[in-house]
Amino acid sequence: MSSAFVSLQNVSLAYGKTVVVPDLRLDIRKGELVALLGPSGCGKTTTMRAIAGLMSLHAGSISIDGVDMSRTPANKRGVGLVFQSYALFPHLNAFENVAFGLRLKKLPRTEIIGRVEHGLSTVGLSHLAQRKPAEMSGGQQQRLSLARSLVMEPKVLLLDEPLSNLDARLRLEMRTELQRVQRDTGITMIFVTHDQSEALALADRIVLMKDGVIEQLGTADDLYNRPETEFAADFFGFENIFEVSGSSIRGPQGSVSISFTAKAGHLAWRPGAVKIGSGPHKATVRGVAFAGEHREYVFDTGLGQIKASAPAGEPAYELGASLSFDLPEDGALSIPAKN
Amino acid sequence: MTGTWASRLIIGLTLTFLIGPFFIIIAAGLSAGDFLAFPPDGLSLKWYLKVFEVESFRESFALSMFLAVFGTIAALILGVPAAYAISRYQIPYGETIKTIVAAPIIVPGIIVGLALLRYLVVPLNFTITLALFLAHTALVLPYAVRVVSSSLNNLRSDMEEAAVLLGCSRLGAFFRVVLPNIQSGVLAAFILGFVTSFNQVPVSLFLSGPGVRTLPIDMLSYMEITYDPSVAALSALLALMSVVIVFVAEKFLGFSRYV
């Protein structure tokens, strides 16, 4: 694909004899914000480290801006990385942390000062230039780490779990910050996360990975509303997944018939799509938890356990209560069988 | 309250046992008499001054200083990269290597000294100074590796990767990022190595030869001939030197974190 800015072709990655990523193809366009999403151990961080050059390729090639980088050492790739732990230099103050890479480039003194000051002001840390990292909060450290990478004007900026070490309020702040920086600089960003809500909120495109293989690639809307595999469906909240067999669906405990015709494969429902209180199926409440706007239930049913939720305003079912429910066609996601 | 009178008594007795001899030595050195005695036979500073006039003391002090400073530096030049390799890379038998490196402090000094004499000095015709230098380097090496390892283990390795991504070479990252952040550990290792080397007796005893002696060995042989209070005075001065070094190290480095 000629429009690809970062291109991974048949990339295979291994730790010793353990192959983590068997054969990855991925094209990322210039200026895109892409999320590598997946559970721990899915190969997303390994893939990111390979793009950075911190990990050598077992097979395949990586090119950036049309140049094959497969054998280029990490310090010559022009790729920035914001580490999950920030990896700031504790012996240097904020200014010197940001100046570190620029000094190595042997830029003129005035240019270094100008770029560092601009970098610090971009992330709102100008007033803390003389502070050591240990004297800064987690959010400030993260922004400092971002500034340190940004002043190098990397072709690609990689971010490892950029929001995971922050509390909820800072997380929102940092998310806004990242979006703004990306819009202002037009820099191509790839970030790694295990949190689907982060990926949905930030990314132009999401690469969902499982066991080193791309499970699905698409926009937030694609993945959230039209997951194509059982894994993707489960990851994006379709927690009740059952196999279709003829006119019924089968769970671990047995089968129930459904009132509509479905294609072969699987049917999946979000907990909120399960209709509670009426319907052809019987359930016993196995677990109930109050979650603010909703009450979350676990039901024992003829299919096995299913998860359901109802607005908190509706009457609550006690633990052990019996009730009727339905798995309606409206809200059912059809996952076609694999060929 | 820090405890009952009984526990204070025990602490007091322990401290007396540990520090008491130090005061006896100081006092014995202050004697005005001609023989080493306690309580001192009158008071005078003459033995403290005499220490500086004995030529063999001056020579052996210079040798001991040379060994302590350069032996420790050599041990650090070997030990810092070793500690780095052990803590950063998955080296086969890394733990075993660590144990072997520690061998010179586990094996009794007399055996180390005899072994070095029998298998290095005699067959290879090493000069005494060179043999002493090698022995002291080996004896200090375990401290260098241990102390530097512990400060490396507290340093996250992703910092080096960050430096590399900002344009550093691996070696550059070591000098620009790793070394500045373990410098207090390296300094602590230096002080520990210096004191260890300076106070070393059993190994040096075997390797010292005619005219070439470290200070502690020289003091021993001086006492065999001359039983005057100058040895006590010298001991007090050396103890004072160690106390000052450790005190300064604790004050500025938090030395006790490493030892």
Side-chain angles (χ1 to χ4, degrees):
Chain A
M1 202 198 283
S2 58
S3 68
F5 186 68
V6 179
S7 177
L8 282 71
Q9 293 301 321
N10 305 92
V11 164
S12 165
L13 301 166
Y15 292 104
K17 289 196 169 71
T18 316
V19 176
V20 180
V21 174
D23 181 22
L24 192 76
R25 283 166 217 220
L26 178 62
D27 286 312
I28 292 162
R29 290 185 287 271
K30 193 174 171 68
E32 232 183 342
L33 209 175
V34 172
L36 298 179
L37 173 68
S40 62
C42 75
K44 57 190 193 298
T45 304
T46 309
T47 304
M48 184 196 69
R49 289 175 61 82
I51 297 172
L54 294 173
M55 163 130 200
S56 52
L57 303 183
H58 189 60
S61 68
I62 292 176
S63 67
I64 296 171
D65 201 6
V67 181
D68 186 352
M69 293 280 182
S70 309
R71 302 274 171 276
T72 311
N75 55 357
K76 305 240 159 38
R77 285 199 186 188
V79 172
L81 173 54
V82 177
F83 286 80
Q84 183 174 11
S85 62
Y86 320 138
L88 295 165
F89 308 130
H91 62 299
L92 301 175
N93 64 23
F95 185 97
E96 287 303 324
N97 261 282
V98 178
F100 188 89
L102 301 172
R103 291 205 195 283
L104 287 169
K105 277 188 169 179
K106 304 235 178 346
L107 296 177
R109 224 174 73 88
T110 49
E111 191 185 339
I112 291 176
I113 293 171
R115 277 169 75 168
V116 171
E117 280 172 354
H118 180 253
L120 285 173
S121 76
T122 303
V123 295
L125 289 178
S126 301
H127 60 299
L128 300 177
Q130 299 309 317
R131 289 244 184 120
K132 292 271 179 73
E135 299 157 354
M136 303 172 96
S137 72
Q140 289 166 342
Q141 288 185 27
Q142 174 128 47
R143 290 188 343 246
L144 182 60
S145 181
L146 180 64
R148 187 178 66 177
S149 291
L150 282 175
V151 293
M152 300 301 290
E153 295 170 358
K155 295 195 205 89
V156 182
L157 182 63
L158 307 170
L159 302 111
D160 190 5
E161 300 275 4
L163 308 177
S164 67
N165 284 350
L166 305 175
D167 64 39
R169 198 176 53 80
L170 279 171
R171 198 174 284 206
L172 185 67
E173 197 177 288
M174 192 65 199
R175 206 160 75 189
T176 321
E177 186 98 353
L178 282 175
Q179 278 171 321
R180 187 180 59 75
V181 166
Q182 209 253 346
R183 199 181 53 232
D184 292 353
T185 59
I187 202 168
T188 308
M189 286 189 189
I190 302 170
F191 75 101
V192 157
T193 180
H194 65 274
D195 182 344
Q196 47 112 345
S197 64
E198 278 181 20
L200 291 169
L202 266 172
D204 297 325
R205 283 198 301 161
I206 297 170
V207 181
L208 180 66
M209 294 180 71
K210 181 200 175 195
D211 300 334
V213 175
I214 296 178
E215 191 78 7
Q216 190 173 347
L217 195 164
T219 62
D221 184 45
D222 288 337
L223 274 102
Y224 190 76
N225 292 314
R226 292 176 293 282
E228 289 165 0
T229 66
E230 292 163 63
F231 175 77
D234 187 44
F235 209 86
F236 284 94
F238 292 89
E239 291 175 75
N240 305 302
I241 303 179
F242 304 104
E243 197 184 344
V244 177
S245 66
S247 63
S248 59
I249 51 174
R250 194 165 64 220
Q253 299 292 325
S255 301
V256 299
S257 56
I258 44 170
S259 55
F260 56 94
T261 52
K263 277 179 269 181
H266 288 80
L267 282 172
W269 287 266
R270 293 185 191 281
V274 176
K275 197 173 149 205
I276 303 174
S278 66
H281 313 303
K282 297 283 173 242
T284 313
V285 178
R286 179 71 182 279
V288 55
F290 179 66
E293 289 179 22
H294 290 89
R295 223 172 241 106
E296 293 171 353
Y297 294 105
V298 178
F299 295 156
D300 273 335
T301 75
L303 286 160
Q305 286 192 349
I306 68 167
K307 289 179 181 165
S309 77
E314 288 185 9
Y317 291 93
E318 304 271 317
L319 212 58
S322 298
L323 65 135
S324 307
F325 74 97
D326 193 14
L327 295 167
E329 180 171 14
D330 182 27
L333 171 80
S334 173
I335 304 163
K338 281 178 200 145
N339 299 323
Chain B
M1 287 304 289
T2 49
T4 63
W5 64 269
S7 68
R8 285 190 207 175
L9 182 72
I10 292 169
I11 293 169
L13 285 173
T14 310
L15 286 178
T16 308
F17 181 72
L18 288 173
I19 306 172
F22 182 50
F23 288 104
I24 293 177
I25 289 292
I26 293 178
L30 286 169
S31 172
D34 287 341
F35 298 102
L36 193 54
F38 185 83
D41 190 8
L43 281 178
S44 116
L45 275 175
K46 67 176 178 181
W47 298 111
Y48 278 88
L49 297 171
K50 166 140 193 254
V51 164
F52 296 94
E53 286 158 14
V54 178
E55 202 188 333
S56 83
F57 282 167
R58 287 210 301 264
E59 281 170 7
S60 58
F61 178 79
L63 177 65
S64 276
M65 278 304 257
F66 168 83
L67 292 173
V69 171
F70 291 99
T72 304
I73 287 174
L76 283 171
I77 289 171
L78 296 171
V80 172
Y84 182 82
I86 291 168
S87 78
R88 282 292 183 270
Y89 301 105
Q90 297 269 323
I91 296 178
Y93 308 110
E95 277 307 307
T96 315
I97 292 170
K98 242 179 159 171
T99 311
I100 293 171
V101 166
I105 39 175
I106 296 165
V107 176
I110 290 191
I111 296 174
V112 176
L114 183 63
L116 287 171
L117 180 68
R118 173 71 183 77
Y119 295 102
L120 270 185
V121 179
V122 175
L124 297 177
N125 243 335
F126 280 11
T127 65
I128 291 160
T129 313
L130 179 60
L132 280 170
F133 173 75
L134 293 176
H136 280 240
T137 302
L139 286 169
V140 170
L141 188 62
Y143 298 101
V145 172
R146 292 266 154 170
V147 174
V148 174
S149 283
S150 79
S151 44
L152 275 170
N153 289 339
N154 292 332
L155 195 71
R156 297 187 58 110
S157 59
D158 51 14
M159 217 182 284
E160 291 158 63
E161 294 184 334
V164 167
L165 285 168
L166 292 168
C168 262
S169 62
R170 276 273 163 196
L171 196 63
F174 178 80
F175 283 107
R176 283 169 197 273
V177 176
V178 178
L179 215 48
N181 284 300
I182 60 165
Q183 61 177 354
S184 54
V186 173
L187 209 53
F190 180 84
I191 290 165
L192 196 60
F194 180 90
V195 174
T196 305
S197 165
F198 203 90
N199 294 332
Q200 214 324 287
V201 172
V203 176
S204 304
L205 192 59
F206 275 89
L207 298 177
S208 291
V212 185
R213 292 185 185 128
T214 64
L215 187 57
I217 307 301
D218 197 28
M219 287 162 72
L220 265 178
S221 47
Y222 181 88
M223 266 187 75
E224 280 165 12
I225 301 161
T226 326
Y227 201 67
D228 71 21
S230 62
V231 170
L234 182 51
S235 300
L237 290 173
L238 292 176
L240 199 68
M241 185 179 88
S242 289
V243 168
V244 168
I245 289 173
V246 171
F247 180 79
V248 169
E250 178 60 42
K251 177 107 179 151
F252 292 101
L253 297 174
F255 192 54
S256 48
R257 273 184 299 152
Y258 298 98
V259 189

